Amino acid sequence: MKIYDLDEALYNKYIAPTKKDRGASIGIEIEMPVVDISGKAVDEATVLSIADRFREHFRFEITNSDDNGNVNSMTHEETGDNLSFDCSYSNLELSMGKSDDLNILHKRFLKYYNYLQELFRPFGYTLTGMGINPHYNINTNRPVPNERYRMLYHYLHSYRRYEGDIGRHFHDRPDFGTFTSASQVQLDVSHDDLIETLNVFTLLEPYKALLFANSYLPEFPDYLCARNMLWEHSMQGYNPHNIGMFTDKLHSVDELIEYIKSQSIYCTMRDGKYIDFKPVSVRDYFELEKVSGEYFDGSSYRSTTFSPECCDLQYLRTFKFEDLTFRGTIEYRSSCCQPISDVMTVAAFHTGLSIKLDELKELLDKDRVIYSHGYSPAELQDMLSKRELPKFLDRDGLRSQLEAILDIAASGLKERAKNEEHFLAPLYDRAEKLTNPAKEMLEGLEQGIPMTQFIEKYSRI
């Protein structure tokens, strides 16, 4: 594929959809750990049987099954709501079909959540609102047996081959995808606001880390939000442009396209089989004659070579905190799953702020609370993901700035006139106390409160 053809293909995939006339709809994805309260590994057969009962009760249609014939994705035809399993059968995801009203989405979520909890309860199981499955070292952490997750598991475990390639450290938990849970929201973005939205929300990431951290992992004790670090220091972060934040301010759509060209492809499909390979930038990939990779033949992995094709662009999968999608939306990916009582905070926060982009930009452009100490947004995001806040940050200033950000979000929600601003209430409390769910849990554990109490607390509506 010639360079000018690649530019056009990227423009058509990512930029052109932002020019289409669309409603201001919201898409929400909530991943939740499945936990056996007794402390045993989750039985996958039990989880699958409950998913089947859920499908029959709500009349969801089968959209995907694993290699053993088990249904692992189902969708309600009318609403577009979906139940699936993200990476493993101990990580259940509810994706809500698009709506323009957070209250409607919340009501549908609770209907599904309550029914699932009724089904799980007799088995001593529960869903809970944590970004790390509290039994991550007890569960089997096996990938869902299908092409995509088997490939991803294999690719993430290939990190030892490439440790000498880049000056970054890979952690030793390549199975992290099976036990990490996110709360993600997709919002339509207009062409005129695209670049500004990416720039402004990048500056917001350090404050988000402080508000939404909920993925403490004892193996990385400094972090209250280990989930993002796990992505960044894995094969997903082999190319830093595939993960995390935009390190430089974007000035134009042309710059954004050049950035996308610098991101890496690491998988594609041929004859119904996923092939994974050493990451190569989009810019270079389509100039290659042959690519060497591996695929699963049903019993083991085999080496193969293939030629790049234009359709391979659909397998460019990145995990930016602000990820532009082919739907003309920005997917905000950096937030952990929240306690179920606060489950709508992530969506409400981003929705309100997107309405007041100019006000948010002005606040962050003038910020001297965190952006006056010589650190980049990415460095600050990492610092504010940790338990101990940097000593150079003024605590009162942090509280005031967080509250100012929340006031802008509330103003945006009020402008929508759908009575959605009440979803922000838990965040005001966190801002006042400079706390988050992970910090609250860790402090409780150190005071002798058992983990089971937090599993139960974070599962309450």
Side-chain angles (χ1 to χ4, degrees):
M1 184 185 292
K2 300 298 183 183
I3 292 296
Y4 64 86
D5 290 331
L6 178 57
D7 287 351
E8 182 178 2
L10 291 171
Y11 184 92
N12 289 336
K13 179 179 180 181
Y14 292 106
I15 309 302
T18 67
K19 291 188 170 184
K20 295 179 180 178
D21 186 20
R22 295 154 295 152
S25 55
I26 305 164
I28 298 174
E29 300 174 13
I30 299 167
E31 302 164 4
M32 296 167 285
V34 184
V35 182
D36 184 332
I37 300 171
S38 71
K40 299 177 183 177
V42 166
D43 177 60
E44 294 177 358
T46 299
V47 175
L48 286 165
S49 69
I50 287 171
D52 276 336
R53 290 174 64 185
F54 176 95
R55 176 174 56 84
E56 293 171 0
H57 180 80
F58 290 109
R59 299 182 179 179
F60 276 43
E61 300 294 326
I62 298 172
T63 51
N64 197 31
S65 299
D66 68 21
D67 292 348
N68 300 319
N70 299 307
V71 178
N72 59 10
S73 179
M74 59 192 76
T75 301
H76 191 272
E77 185 176 0
E78 182 179 341
T79 63
D81 298 340
N82 176 273
L83 183 150
S84 63
F85 293 95
D86 191 88
C87 291
S88 75
Y89 284 123
S90 55
N91 194 26
L92 187 148
E93 178 178 322
L94 285 173
S95 301
M96 312 311 296
K98 283 189 174 185
S99 171
D100 64 352
D101 190 323
L102 292 172
N103 290 295
I104 291 174
L105 292 171
H106 188 224
K107 183 177 180 180
R108 297 211 308 259
F109 171 84
L110 291 181
K111 176 178 65 174
Y112 301 142
Y113 179 81
N114 284 330
Y115 185 74
L116 286 166
Q117 290 291 69
E118 287 179 13
L119 297 181
F120 277 127
R121 195 171 296 116
F123 296 94
Y125 287 12
T126 186
L127 297 169
T128 193
M130 295 181 174
I132 296 282
N133 192 310
H135 292 170
Y136 73 99
N137 266 343
I138 298 172
N139 290 329
T140 57
N141 297 334
R142 289 185 297 228
V144 170
N146 63 16
E147 278 292 319
R148 179 185 175 190
Y149 289 126
R150 185 187 300 109
M151 175 279 297
L152 181 59
Y153 194 80
H154 179 255
Y155 171 72
L156 290 171
H157 279 73
S158 70
Y159 71 101
R160 293 193 185 280
R161 304 181 196 175
Y162 306 112
E163 285 182 309
D165 286 4
I166 56 176
R168 304 187 73 193
H169 170 68
F170 290 118
H171 59 72
D172 292 322
R173 291 305 308 235
D175 59 344
F176 69 92
T178 63
F179 58 77
T180 55
S181 302
S183 178
Q184 299 171 171
V185 58
Q186 286 197 35
L187 299 175
D188 291 317
V189 62
S190 70
H191 183 269
D192 291 344
D193 290 338
L194 172 59
I195 300 303
E196 201 74 89
T197 300
L198 293 173
N199 286 332
V200 172
F201 275 90
T202 290
L203 292 176
L204 187 64
E205 284 297 335
Y207 288 110
K208 284 171 56 179
L210 190 56
L211 282 174
F212 294 109
N214 193 24
S215 54
Y216 176 72
L217 194 64
E219 294 170 34
F220 304 95
D222 292 341
Y223 283 91
L224 296 175
C225 184
R227 181 181 147 270
N228 293 330
M229 182 276 298
L230 289 169
W231 284 95
E232 292 173 8
H233 292 278
S234 72
M235 280 301 293
Q236 295 289 6
Y238 180 92
N239 180 348
H241 283 198
N242 277 45
I243 46 84
M245 299 161 64
F246 291 93
T247 54
D248 297 313
K249 184 176 181 179
L250 296 167
H251 296 92
S252 67
V253 165
D254 288 341
E255 279 191 14
L256 178 57
I257 289 176
E258 287 301 314
Y259 191 94
I260 296 172
K261 284 158 63 176
S262 75
Q263 295 176 323
S264 293
I265 295 179
Y266 62 85
C267 68
T268 190
M269 290 194 86
R270 293 291 185 272
D271 301 320
K273 298 289 186 182
Y274 261 106
I275 303 170
D276 66 273
F277 45 88
K278 182 178 179 178
V280 57
S281 72
V282 173
R283 181 181 288 112
D284 294 337
Y285 178 80
F286 291 105
E287 295 293 326
L288 297 174
E289 292 293 328
K290 294 288 183 181
V291 178
S292 298
E294 294 181 317
Y295 72 97
F296 187 70
D297 70 357
S299 59
S300 61
Y301 281 90
R302 300 174 64 90
S303 298
T304 187
T305 59
F306 62 94
S307 297
E309 298 176 0
C310 296
C311 61
D312 294 340
L313 194 58
Q314 67 182 295
Y315 298 100
L316 172 60
R317 293 199 173 114
T318 58
F319 295 88
K320 304 295 294 180
F321 289 168
E322 284 75 38
D323 225 352
L324 179 61
T325 78
F326 65 89
R327 301 179 181 90
T329 65
I330 292 178
E331 184 168 14
Y332 299 91
R333 307 179 62 105
S334 63
S335 299
C336 307
C337 175
Q338 299 297 293
I340 302 304
S341 61
D342 304 345
V343 73
M344 297 300 290
T345 53
V346 174
F349 181 80
H350 290 88
T351 300
L353 291 175
S354 69
I355 301 295
K356 296 290 185 180
L357 186 63
D358 290 343
E359 290 184 26
L360 179 61
K361 178 181 185 303
E362 182 179 3
L363 180 73
L364 294 176
D365 282 347
K366 295 179 179 179
D367 183 285
R368 294 296 177 267
V369 177
I370 64 174
Y371 287 115
S372 60
H373 305 281
Y375 295 100
S376 71
E379 290 170 330
L380 289 165
Q381 191 277 338
D382 185 74
M383 291 177 187
L384 270 67
S385 295
K386 295 179 179 178
R387 183 176 185 184
E388 298 298 328
L389 293 175
K391 293 181 179 179
F392 61 78
L393 294 182
D394 176 68
R395 273 50 176 176
D396 289 336
L398 274 176
R399 291 186 185 92
S400 296
Q401 194 74 327
L402 285 169
E403 288 172 0
I405 291 167
L406 291 171
D407 285 345
I408 294 174
S411 175
L413 293 174
K414 289 175 182 176
E415 186 174 306
R416 285 164 51 82
K418 297 180 184 294
N419 190 30
E420 300 165 318
E421 54 271 18
H422 64 96
F423 290 121
L424 296 176
L427 300 183
Y428 278 99
D429 185 60
R430 296 181 195 179
E432 171 62 27
K433 299 175 182 176
L434 291 182
T435 193
N436 49 58
K439 186 176 182 180
E440 179 183 343
M441 181 189 74
L442 186 56
E443 290 175 350
L445 293 174
E446 291 175 347
Q447 293 169 11
I449 299 173
M451 175 62 81
T452 52
Q453 286 195 27
F454 285 99
I455 294 171
E456 193 276 332
K457 178 179 180 180
Y458 287 5
S459 73
R460 292 180 206 150
I461 294 174

